Amino acid sequence: MIGVVPRFFYRLGQIMMFLGDVLKTLWHRPCRLELVLEQVWYVTLQSFPTTAMAGFFVGGIMTVQFAMQVNEFGAAAYLGGLSTSATFREVGPMLIAFMLSGKVGAFTSAELGTMKVTEQIDAIRCLGADPIQEVILPRFLGIIISSFFLLTGGLMLSVVGGATLGVLFAGINPQEYVRHIPTIMGWPSILSGIVKCLSYALVLATICTYMGYFTTGGAKGVGRAVVSTSVLTMVTIVVFDWGTSFLGQLMLSWFAIG
Amino acid sequence: MIKYKNLVKSFGTRTVLKGIDLHIKAGEIVFILGTSGTGKSVLLKNTVGLLRPDSGEIWIDGENVSGYSEEQFLSIRKKCGMVFQHPALFDSLTIYENIAYGLRKHFSMAENEIERRVEQALSLVNLDNILSKRPGEISYGMQKRVSLARTVVLQPKVLLFDEPTTGLDPVTTNSINTLIQSLSRKLNTTSMVVSHDMQCALKIADHIVVLDQGQVVDQGTPKQLLESEVPLVRDFLEEARNQ
C-alpha cells in the first residue's frame, strides 16, 4: 500500500515523458500521412458499430430515466433538452470512451506489445528507423482523429436514440422532444462535449501506445499490458471527466454564459 | 574488430554483465555459450545500442561506441546487423518489403537496385518465389531465413545472431547453422552467435566464449575448449556428446 502513491507518480512521469517524446517526434520527424490515414480508416471501421450502438442506447437510457422524473413534475416538454444536455455533457462521452478503451485501446496495446516482445520494435531500430516515428506516431494520431469522430458521431446518435426509445417506451411526443433541445442545450453543452471527446481521445491514444510500447515479459506481459490499458484509461477518463466538468463550471460562472 | 572492456550492465538490483573483457577478431565466427539468463543476449544488444552499458567500453572497428546517442548508433547498425531470436518480421509487409525495409531506411537507393539486392539476399539464404507472400504464409524456419536475408542485404561487416536456432527442428537447425557458416565465409563477415548448442559451436566456430553469471569463465578455439577443466564447459561438452 505504501508503494502505491510513488508508483503512481513514477508511472505518470513515464507516461508524460513518453508523450513528450511522441510530440517531439511529431514536430521534428512527422510520419507519413498515408500511415495515419490507414490507422484512421482501420480504427473507425473497426469501432463504428460499437460506438454507434453505445451512443444510441446511452441516449435512450437517459431519456427513459429522465421521463419518470419530469412526468412527475409535469415538465415532459423539457425532456428532450434535459436528456440531450446530460448525455452530451457527461454520460455520453464517458461511456462511449469506455467502449473505445475496451476495443481500440486493448487492440492497440496488444498489437504493440506483441511487436515489442517478438523483437519487431528492436528490429526497426536495428534497420535504421525510429519506432516512435514508424509505429507509434501513426497509431497515436490515428486513434486521436478517429476517436474524436467516433465519440462525436456516437453523441449524435445518442440524440436519435433518446428520441426513438423515448417515443417507443416512454410515450413521448417526438416533436415536443425535439422542440426544447435548443432551449436547454446551448453552446456550452456542445463545447463541453467536444472538449471531453478530444481529451478522452488523447488519454486513450497516449495510454494504449505507452502500455504497448513498454511491454515486457512475453505473452503474459502482453496480457498485463492489455488489462492495464483498459483499467488505467477508464480511471484516467473518470478523473478527466471530473476535471473538465469542474473547469467548465468555473468558466461558465466567470463568463456568466449558458 | 569488437572489443569489450570491463562491461557492466544491471537491471534494477540484478547485475547481468559483471565486467566482461573480450576481443572478437575480424573475420572470425565466435560462439557465445552459456546457460539461460547469463547475459549472452544482453551482450549482443549492448553492441548495437539496443541496451546501454552502466560502465565499461565497447569498441567497434576502432570506435568507442559506449557513449553514443541513438543517432550516432545508426552508422554502427549499418555495420553490425542483428538477427533476433524471433524472426521479428513485420506482419503487415510482404517478404519483399521486409527485406527492402533496411535498405530504404539506411540508404537512398533506386528501386531497381533495391530489387536486385533483395533477390540476391534471398538466394543467399536458399529461398525463392516468396517475395509477394506475407510472413504468416511461410513456415517458421523460412521466416528465420528471411530474417537473415533482411540483415545480410545491408552487407554488414559484423553479423550478430541471437539464438538463431531456438524453436527449430533438428533438420532446420542444421541448415541454419550451415547457412551461418557459409554466409560468414562468403561475405567475409565477423559473426557472433549466441547459442546453447556446443555441438554446433565445435563444428563451425573459430572461437568459443563461455559465459556464466555475467562473466567469461573460459574461451578458446574448439580444440582448446575440448581440453577445458571448467565444470560448466565440461557439462556442455558432455551434453554435446550425448546428442
Side-chain angles (χ1 to χ4, degrees):
Chain A
M1 188 65 202
I2 296 166
V4 170
V5 175
R7 217 171 37 232
F8 169 78
F9 282 106
Y10 175 72
R11 174 64 65 83
L12 188 69
Q14 277 192 319
I15 293 175
M16 296 317 287
M17 276 165 64
F18 173 72
L19 181 61
D21 278 347
V22 173
L23 296 178
K24 208 162 69 186
T25 307
L26 176 64
W27 183 255
H28 293 294
R29 297 188 302 275
C31 57
R32 282 182 292 142
L33 183 66
E34 67 202 65
L35 291 178
V36 179
L37 293 178
E38 197 179 284
Q39 289 296 322
V40 171
W41 174 247
Y42 186 67
V43 172
T44 309
L45 207 69
Q46 197 190 35
S47 310
F48 183 71
T50 314
T51 47
M53 208 168 78
F56 186 87
F57 281 100
V58 166
I61 292 162
M62 293 301 283
T63 302
V64 173
Q65 287 299 324
F66 272 124
M68 291 184 225
Q69 319 297 324
V70 291
N71 282 336
E72 211 172 296
F73 295 100
Y78 296 104
L79 180 63
L82 269 176
S83 158
T84 309
S85 177
T87 308
F88 255 72
R89 276 171 178 255
E90 292 296 332
V91 191
M94 196 161 75
L95 285 182
I96 300 169
F98 281 1
M99 291 281 176
L100 282 177
S101 83
K103 199 167 169 75
V104 180
F107 176 82
T108 307
S109 63
E111 187 189 23
L112 291 173
T114 306
M115 286 182 81
K116 182 75 194 303
V117 299
T118 56
E119 298 176 308
Q120 290 180 52
I121 301 279
D122 283 343
I124 290 174
R125 286 173 73 191
C126 277
L127 293 168
D130 174 8
I132 300 250
Q133 183 192 20
E134 292 285 317
V135 180
I136 301 296
L137 208 50
R139 283 166 179 77
F140 179 81
L141 295 175
I143 290 171
I144 289 181
I145 295 166
S146 51
S147 297
F148 177 71
F149 285 125
L150 286 166
L151 282 162
T152 44
L155 286 182
M156 301 296 174
L157 278 166
S158 73
V159 181
V160 178
T164 311
L165 295 184
V167 169
L168 289 176
F169 297 104
I172 294 156
N173 178 345
Q175 281 163 337
E176 202 173 60
Y177 184 89
V178 174
R179 196 172 63 234
H180 280 286
I181 290 179
T183 318
I184 295 180
M185 209 187 82
W187 277 108
S189 299
I190 296 173
L191 207 64
S192 163
I194 289 173
V195 168
K196 282 181 180 179
C197 289
L198 264 178
S199 57
Y200 298 166
L202 180 69
V203 166
L204 177 62
T206 308
I207 293 176
C208 71
T209 49
Y210 165 82
M211 285 296 178
Y213 191 62
F214 289 99
T215 300
T216 51
K220 219 173 191 175
V222 176
R224 265 199 309 268
V226 172
V227 173
S228 301
T229 298
S230 297
V231 173
L232 197 62
T233 308
M234 287 186 199
V235 172
T236 314
I237 283 172
V238 172
V239 175
F240 264 61
D241 187 34
W242 173 81
T244 45
S245 299
F246 179 73
L247 280 175
Q249 290 301 323
L250 211 64
M251 284 172 75
L252 278 179
S253 60
W254 277 350
F255 297 110
I257 53 171
Chain B
M1 184 75 206
I2 304 177
K3 266 185 198 165
Y4 301 93
K5 290 185 183 171
N6 198 21
L7 198 72
V8 176
K9 175 70 188 171
S10 303
F11 295 97
T13 53
R14 190 169 157 251
T15 306
V16 178
L17 299 180
K18 300 171 182 165
I20 298 281
D21 284 300
L22 202 57
H23 183 195
I24 312 287
K25 289 183 196 147
E28 273 188 339
I29 299 177
V30 179
F31 265 67
I32 315 279
L33 298 180
T35 50
S36 298
T38 200
K40 308 180 297 292
S41 301
V42 173
L43 183 70
L44 286 197
K45 287 185 176 177
N46 272 285
T47 313
V48 286
L50 294 175
L51 293 171
R52 302 299 163 94
D54 298 333
S55 63
E57 291 175 2
I58 303 171
W59 290 76
I60 298 174
D61 222 3
E63 282 178 84
N64 181 2
V65 303
S66 347
Y68 271 20
S69 65
E70 191 69 14
E71 277 76 24
Q72 286 173 307
F73 257 111
L74 280 179
S75 64
I76 298 302
R77 289 174 190 155
K78 257 191 227 179
K79 249 186 250 177
C80 303
M82 183 154 171
V83 179
F84 293 89
Q85 191 174 347
H86 298 95
L89 300 176
F90 311 127
D91 307 327
S92 57
L93 303 181
T94 61
I95 300 302
Y96 176 83
E97 289 299 329
N98 264 286
I99 301 174
Y101 191 91
L103 290 175
R104 295 193 205 285
K105 298 294 168 190
H106 274 305
F107 310 97
S108 47
M109 209 175 260
E111 194 56 40
N112 56 356
E113 176 62 9
I114 291 178
E115 211 170 299
R116 193 187 65 78
R117 294 264 293 258
V118 169
E119 279 168 6
Q120 192 183 34
L122 207 60
S123 70
L124 276 174
V125 297
N126 307 324
L127 287 174
D128 55 11
N129 294 328
I130 56 162
L131 286 174
S132 58
K133 290 189 172 160
R134 291 187 189 270
E137 295 172 301
I138 58 174
S139 71
Y140 191 70
M142 284 163 102
Q143 287 181 29
K144 286 261 190 181
R145 283 163 185 254
V146 172
S147 163
L148 186 50
R150 185 177 62 177
T151 306
V152 298
V153 79
L154 300 172
Q155 298 177 346
K157 282 184 176 178
V158 180
L159 281 170
L160 307 171
F161 297 90
D162 188 4
E163 299 192 24
T165 54
T166 299
L168 295 176
D169 60 86
V171 177
T172 318
T173 298
N174 204 28
S175 73
I176 291 279
N177 286 330
T178 312
L179 204 56
I180 291 171
Q181 189 182 26
S182 67
L183 278 177
S184 302
R185 301 293 181 227
K186 215 181 280 179
L187 305 172
N188 196 25
T189 56
T190 307
S191 296
M192 276 176 80
V193 186
V194 158
S195 177
H196 298 108
D197 191 349
M198 177 61 103
Q199 202 179 32
C200 168
L202 291 171
K203 218 189 302 174
I204 67 173
D206 298 313
H207 195 85
I208 299 172
V209 177
V210 182
L211 289 189
D212 189 26
Q213 294 176 14
Q215 285 173 320
V216 177
V217 289
D218 204 358
Q219 60 175 308
T221 61
K223 209 174 165 190
Q224 286 168 330
L225 261 280
L226 284 171
E227 309 296 319
S228 175
E229 292 301 321
V230 177
L232 182 68
V233 181
R234 304 288 335 150
D235 288 347
F236 269 116
L237 288 170
E238 187 62 37
E239 186 68 32
R241 266 186 220 111
N242 293 336
Q243 277 176 359

